[in-house]
Amino acid sequence: MEKLVEQIKAQYVLFAENAEAQVSKNNKAAGTRARKAALEIMKLMKDFRKASVEAAK
């Protein structure tokens, strides 16, 4: 589960950097990368939820 948390952190860093570039510099390509990272975060969070529920049992 630690590896999963590290992956989530890494994706969030990518998301934050690209979202900031889109907002501050109006960089459309960064917006695309931010959306891709957001989708990956969503998938990882679902996996984290499954792992967390299993660990709680």
Side-chain angles (χ1 to χ4, degrees):
M1 195 151 85
E2 289 178 27
K3 183 179 178 184
L4 191 56
V5 171
E6 289 301 319
Q7 290 175 330
I8 292 169
K9 287 179 185 178
Q11 285 298 318
Y12 182 77
V13 169
L14 287 174
F15 167 76
E17 290 172 355
N18 286 303
E20 180 62 30
Q22 180 187 18
V23 171
S24 64
K25 299 177 184 174
N26 200 23
N27 184 334
K28 292 182 182 180
T32 301
R33 290 189 299 270
R35 289 189 298 275
K36 183 178 177 184
L39 286 174
E40 186 62 29
I41 290 168
M42 186 174 68
K43 291 175 189 174
L44 290 169
M45 291 300 246
K46 287 179 182 179
D47 292 342
F48 175 79
R49 184 175 188 284
K50 288 177 188 175
S52 178
V53 168
E54 283 298 315
K57 288 184 179 181

